[in-house]
Amino acid sequence: MSISLRFYNTLTREKTAFAPIDPQNVRMYVCGPTVYDYAHIGNARPAIVFDVLFRLLRHVYGEAHVTYARNITDVDDKINARALRDHPGLPLNEAIRLVTEKTETQYHEDIALLGNLEPTVEPRATDTIAEMIEIIEKLIGNGHAYVAKGEVLFDTKSMADYGQLSKRPLDEQQAGARIAVDAHKKNPSDFVLWKLSSHNEPGWESPWGRGRPGWHIECSAMSRRYLGEVFDIHGGGLDLIFPHHENEIAQSRCAHGTEVMANVWMHNGFVQVEGRKMSKSEGNFITIYDLLHTEKFGGRQWPGEVLRLAMLMTHYREPIDFSVKRLEEAERLLAKWPAAEASGATPCDTVINALADDLNTVAAVQALHALAQEAHGDPDALAVFAASAAFLGVLPEKTEVDEALASAVDALVALRLEMLKAKNFAEADKIRNELSDKGIQLKDGKDPATGERVTTWEVKR
């Protein structure tokens, strides 16, 4: 089957056919976490959304022909200060590694439990300082950056079409960066590329003195190192359009003399928690770890597949109200699906085609639910369902049951089938209810060859 991919491009505000620069090496970059603290549920959304896109691209072009880079941001003033405080005798990169190791490890564990594949490459900002300096030197050399009071700043007025991603007039834009800037900029919208460090601040040696990079230059350097000056898709959250992605584009294009940085820009919508913007001051700041391992949200722990499905039940460009009610809805849907193991079958065309249309996970989940209804009692349909659910990362796991319990349940299931044949429906219902009370769910179907009733069972999740 020939699959035509169509994605909404934030840069053009249109949904168009996707044509990779090189079908033998389709390249995607997604802004990853700043590993200062545990990742929150808002961070989970891009991880899940672009994992689905990664799976789709691998399905269409082949696993060996897709490169997915998702960075680790470990250059941050809070991280640097903590590294200097806690490990003053170590080289800066080693100290930062120790500070961020715990949260980075937790991030990897958390998103793995959400069903995400590992990216092809996961660059760290601290390993890409030389590339950042190289890009900044180019920008100064070609007149797009200047040095002022110990900082290197990008000159936004030097770029004729600065602001094309956010579509905001230049005079309405203010530079956003994690490093504070003073009023010595040529233009209010100019932003920091490099800032000097004082004797008691962490820093790296550079042509402009010992210092540290601004936020935006990190991704320009990491994406170029692993994907090239121009690549296929750049992804991230809606909140990154301005200033982060806007400034990435400016730096990269002006340094390399290219028309674009990435051909397609894709952004997922915002995540609210119980109808309110998530913030620590609101008391509704929920981490992925909290949801998976504690009872802070809804008084219970939530399985990773429930969290993932709850995200996929809304189109990636739409906002999500992340609520207990939403998680319960996702869990009820999963409970209706048969537990199975992926056995090499091909995912259903209906599911793939839904994803090919701008990652329409809503339609894909609906198609998957229809497959689940067909799968009960039909081994071939069950295999297609399992392959499709595994493709979306929401395949319910089979629950291990000891042999004694399995034997006892099989005997009761056989007895119930005899009661149904004898039209003793009251006794059959009694058996079903007794099993249900013990956490055993029965599913009736028909043998496709004989048309006779067959009953399968599973332990309720």
Side-chain angles (χ1 to χ4, degrees):
M1 179 188 71
S2 177
I3 302 170
S4 176
L5 303 180
R6 291 173 61 83
F7 301 129
Y8 181 84
N9 188 350
T10 308
L11 190 64
T12 63
R13 303 298 197 270
E14 293 180 331
K15 186 166 70 172
T16 55
F18 174 69
I21 299 167
D22 177 7
Q24 296 301 306
N25 184 20
V26 184
R27 289 160 287 161
M28 174 174 71
Y29 183 90
V30 175
C31 290
T34 299
V35 285
Y36 178 72
D37 203 349
Y38 280 17
H40 56 71
I41 191 59
N43 301 135
R45 193 173 193 191
I48 292 170
V49 165
F50 294 105
D51 176 72
V52 173
L53 178 56
F54 181 39
R55 291 164 182 259
L56 178 63
L57 293 173
R58 297 198 329 165
H59 181 77
V60 174
Y61 297 100
E63 292 185 11
H65 303 299
V66 180
T67 303
Y68 173 20
R70 186 187 65 217
N71 74 293
I72 293 288
T73 293
D74 57 353
V75 176
D76 178 273
D77 275 5
K78 292 179 180 178
I79 294 174
N80 292 346
R82 187 178 291 182
L84 182 68
R85 182 196 70 192
D86 294 350
H87 308 285
L90 287 179
L92 181 57
N93 278 11
E94 290 182 30
I96 287 174
R97 197 65 58 99
L98 289 176
V99 167
T100 59
E101 190 174 55
K102 180 180 178 181
T103 48
E104 182 183 345
T105 298
Q106 191 61 58
Y107 175 77
H108 288 144
E109 290 177 1
D110 289 345
I111 61 170
L113 290 173
L114 297 180
N116 292 312
L117 304 175
E118 292 183 1
T120 314
V121 62
E122 195 171 40
R124 298 175 68 103
T126 50
D127 292 335
T128 324
I129 299 294
E131 287 80 0
M132 297 180 205
I133 291 173
E134 180 186 347
I135 292 174
I136 295 170
E137 287 181 311
K138 285 184 178 181
L139 290 169
I140 294 173
N142 60 24
H144 288 290
Y146 59 94
V147 181
K149 292 190 177 180
E151 294 177 344
V152 184
L153 296 138
F154 184 88
D155 184 353
T156 51
K157 284 195 174 180
S158 72
M159 183 181 184
D161 56 354
Y162 177 80
Q164 64 172 211
L165 183 68
S166 61
K167 305 292 191 288
R168 295 167 62 167
L170 187 60
D171 57 5
E172 293 181 8
Q173 302 188 24
Q174 295 291 326
R178 298 175 186 177
I179 301 171
V181 296
D182 297 318
H184 54 269
K185 299 181 290 184
K186 289 182 179 180
N187 316 293
S189 54
D190 293 353
F191 57 90
V192 172
L193 300 171
W194 190 266
K195 183 178 178 68
L196 292 184
S197 297
S198 64
H199 71 280
N200 62 345
E201 291 177 322
W204 290 262
E205 294 302 324
S206 81
W208 318 284
R210 183 174 165 276
R212 57 208 190 276
W215 173 25
H216 316 302
I217 195 67
E218 299 172 15
C219 288
S220 286
M222 288 183 279
S223 63
R224 191 205 66 171
R225 178 176 178 178
Y226 292 98
L227 304 180
E229 294 179 358
V230 179
F231 50 94
D232 295 297
I233 299 172
H234 195 312
L238 198 64
D239 57 313
L240 297 180
I241 292 177
F242 184 85
H244 186 49
H245 288 168
E246 193 75 84
N247 292 345
E248 279 188 55
I249 291 172
Q251 297 160 161
S252 295
R253 286 185 54 202
C254 291
H256 310 313
T258 57
E259 289 297 317
V260 294
M261 177 187 182
N263 284 336
V264 179
W265 289 79
M266 299 176 69
H267 294 91
N268 62 269
F270 293 112
V271 177
Q272 289 187 320
V273 176
E274 298 288 1
R276 295 180 299 150
K277 182 178 179 180
M278 182 173 58
S279 70
K280 290 183 178 178
S281 62
E282 288 281 337
N284 65 345
F285 187 86
I286 304 296
T287 69
I288 306 171
Y289 180 88
D290 289 338
L291 292 162
L292 291 167
H293 302 291
T294 77
E295 298 180 356
K296 291 182 180 180
F297 197 69
R300 52 164 293 191
Q301 299 176 12
W302 298 95
E305 63 267 24
V306 171
L307 302 178
R308 184 180 181 92
L309 183 59
M311 289 286 187
L312 298 182
M313 285 162 57
T314 295
H315 192 279
Y316 80 94
R317 289 196 285 118
E318 297 296 322
I320 283 182
D321 183 15
F322 204 78
S323 63
V324 173
K325 181 179 178 182
R326 179 178 192 81
L327 293 179
E328 290 173 343
E329 181 184 354
E331 189 167 53
R332 284 194 298 271
L333 188 60
L334 275 168
K336 296 176 182 177
W337 295 352
E341 294 179 357
S343 57
T346 303
C348 176
D349 290 350
T350 309
V351 172
I352 298 298
N353 288 335
L355 298 177
D357 183 15
D358 196 30
L359 285 190
N360 191 342
T361 56
V362 178
V365 169
Q366 290 170 346
L368 190 60
H369 185 60
L371 288 172
Q373 304 306 108
E374 299 171 6
H376 298 299
D378 184 339
D380 292 337
L382 182 61
V384 174
F385 164 78
S388 303
F391 185 83
L392 274 175
V394 291
L395 178 63
E397 294 183 359
K398 278 191 171 181
T399 305
E400 294 297 327
V401 181
D402 65 62
E403 292 184 9
L405 174 61
S407 178
V409 172
D410 285 341
L412 287 170
V413 168
L415 177 60
R416 175 176 172 271
L417 286 174
E418 291 180 13
M419 294 297 101
L420 289 171
K421 285 181 180 179
K423 299 190 184 302
N424 188 346
F425 300 116
E427 191 63 28
D429 289 344
K430 182 180 177 182
I431 295 172
R432 173 188 281 276
N433 294 336
E434 287 177 353
L435 288 172
S436 180
D437 290 342
K438 295 176 181 178
I440 306 297
Q441 183 175 3
L442 303 186
K443 298 184 180 182
D444 291 324
K446 287 186 178 181
D447 187 313
T450 65
E452 290 187 5
R453 182 194 294 266
V454 293
T455 300
T456 58
W457 62 273
E458 62 183 44
V459 179
K460 292 180 183 177
R461 288 181 292 276

